[in-house]
Amino acid sequence: MAVHELTGPPHRLWSTTHEPALTVADGDSVRFFIQEALGGQFDELHTGDSVPDLDWDAVYPMAGPIVVAGAEPGDVLEIEVVDVTPVDWGWTAIVPGLGLLADDFPDSAFHRWDLSSGTHADFLGAARIPIRPFLGVMGVCPDVVEPQPVLPPGHFGGNLDCRDLVAGSKLYLPVQTPGARLALADSHAAQGDGEVCVSAIEASAHGEVRLRLHKGRTISGPQLRTPGPLRAGLEDAGWFATTGVGPDLMAAAQDAVRAMIDHLGHEYGLGPVDAYLLCSVAVDLKITEVVDAPNWVVGAYLPVGIMTG
């Protein structure tokens, strides 16, 4: 089984016409370097800076495509995450018009993180965020005629932003086109479930994945397996949760996050903007109940042990 180096320029569309960057066999591993989701547009910014207008044509640089020899529609591609190691800095931002609470936070905000410790990142002296790197985008190419943007995710995978796909985890994707044409992007140093302000700790990263092909196995969409507990060491001090209750899950999620922002202000003195940024990288949204129509319950869970202020 070979180990390959993934090189070549990134691409930014799901398309069957891209020239393959690499062809591998079942069981081979691929080493990569992935640039963060905005392709370097925030490299010179510092905490408190305003977010400049974005060049949307430069976002989501994807590494690949990686062709897996013998992969055909009706097969399953297994992607085992061997390693993801971020560079020594990252960013989180509020971008006007985006995020779960876009109407509540119409102005931009930016926070630059020091990731040089390799284990934790400080947030304004109020919290220490454990670094748990993963790739936000892992996807096989969908069967499309016209090229499609990276967003949104689909049955083929893509921008899943699943914070549990850390080293040791395995992602299973249904092959859509011959060769599978796997692409990787959007590396994160940490994220809360929901990524509510539209960014995690975005950071370029090196890493490695191992690919296995399961012939004739059919699944309807992405599936995953983790190597152990989801939050080992993170939940030892317990959680504080706020909730949103109502007939619309999106509105309930918004209410749960608004209540968490209020809690972070009352208990820890964080302003609304900073609390919203913290929610995006450390607070987990959970659907706690969907059986008592007409109202459903969404919880926003803060791991108490990260708070230091």
Side-chain angles (χ1 to χ4, degrees):
M1 296 180 183
V3 179
H4 305 266
E5 297 288 341
L6 181 58
T7 60
H11 65 286
R12 292 171 171 81
L13 295 168
W14 297 113
S15 173
T16 58
T17 64
H18 289 307
E19 187 70 22
L22 196 61
T23 298
V24 305
D26 178 20
D28 286 357
S29 296
V30 177
R31 293 174 179 156
F32 58 80
F33 174 77
I34 291 174
Q35 195 173 21
E36 48 75 35
L38 295 188
Q41 295 184 66
F42 288 172
D43 282 4
E44 303 305 317
L45 296 186
H46 298 278
T47 298
D49 286 349
S50 296
V51 172
D53 292 337
L54 296 178
D55 177 1
W56 291 103
D57 292 332
V59 304
Y60 286 111
M62 293 196 293
I66 303 164
V67 167
V68 181
E72 297 288 344
D75 298 337
V76 168
L77 183 64
E78 172 190 318
I79 304 109
E80 179 183 359
V81 182
V82 177
D83 174 62
V84 181
T85 301
V87 297
D88 62 0
W89 74 279
W91 61 266
T92 304
I94 296 172
V95 179
L98 301 179
L100 183 66
L101 300 181
D103 291 342
D104 297 28
F105 295 91
D107 300 322
S108 71
F110 184 84
H111 183 83
R112 188 180 181 101
W113 300 86
D114 179 1
L115 307 178
S116 60
S117 78
T119 57
H120 290 78
D122 175 74
F123 185 70
L124 304 174
R128 293 178 75 241
I129 309 302
I131 294 175
R132 298 181 74 248
F134 69 98
L135 301 182
V137 173
M138 289 191 281
V140 296
C141 186
D143 186 12
V144 294
V145 175
E146 296 295 327
Q148 294 190 5
V150 178
L151 303 180
H155 297 298
F156 60 93
N159 192 46
L160 298 172
D161 283 327
C162 177
R163 60 165 287 178
D164 296 318
L165 289 171
V166 296
S169 295
K170 297 178 180 180
L171 175 65
Y172 302 89
L173 298 175
V175 175
Q176 312 281 295
T177 60
R181 303 180 67 87
L182 174 69
L184 311 171
D186 194 26
S187 44
H188 295 161
Q191 181 197 288
D193 279 333
E195 197 185 21
V196 294
C197 85
V198 84
S199 56
I201 299 183
E202 311 288 334
S204 301
H206 299 267
E208 182 178 337
V209 293
R210 183 176 295 114
L211 306 179
R212 295 183 176 91
L213 185 61
H214 299 269
K215 297 293 296 181
R217 176 184 171 192
T218 300
I219 58 176
S220 60
Q223 300 177 3
L224 65 130
R225 178 169 181 168
T226 70
L230 295 181
R231 306 292 183 265
L234 184 62
E235 57 186 4
D236 294 352
W239 303 79
F240 186 91
T242 55
T243 64
V245 182
D248 182 281
L249 282 172
M250 182 63 75
Q254 291 172 324
D255 287 345
V257 173
R258 290 183 180 116
M260 180 56 70
I261 289 170
D262 288 344
H263 171 73
L264 290 168
H266 181 264
E267 291 294 322
Y268 303 102
L270 290 175
V273 168
D274 291 331
Y276 188 34
L277 291 170
L278 181 59
C279 285
S280 199
V281 302
V283 169
D284 292 333
L285 292 183
K286 302 175 183 286
I287 298 174
T288 64
E289 190 266 284
V290 288
V291 295
D292 288 336
N295 288 340
W296 328 122
V297 183
V298 176
Y301 282 69
L302 171 73
V304 176
I306 71 169
M307 303 306 299
T308 59

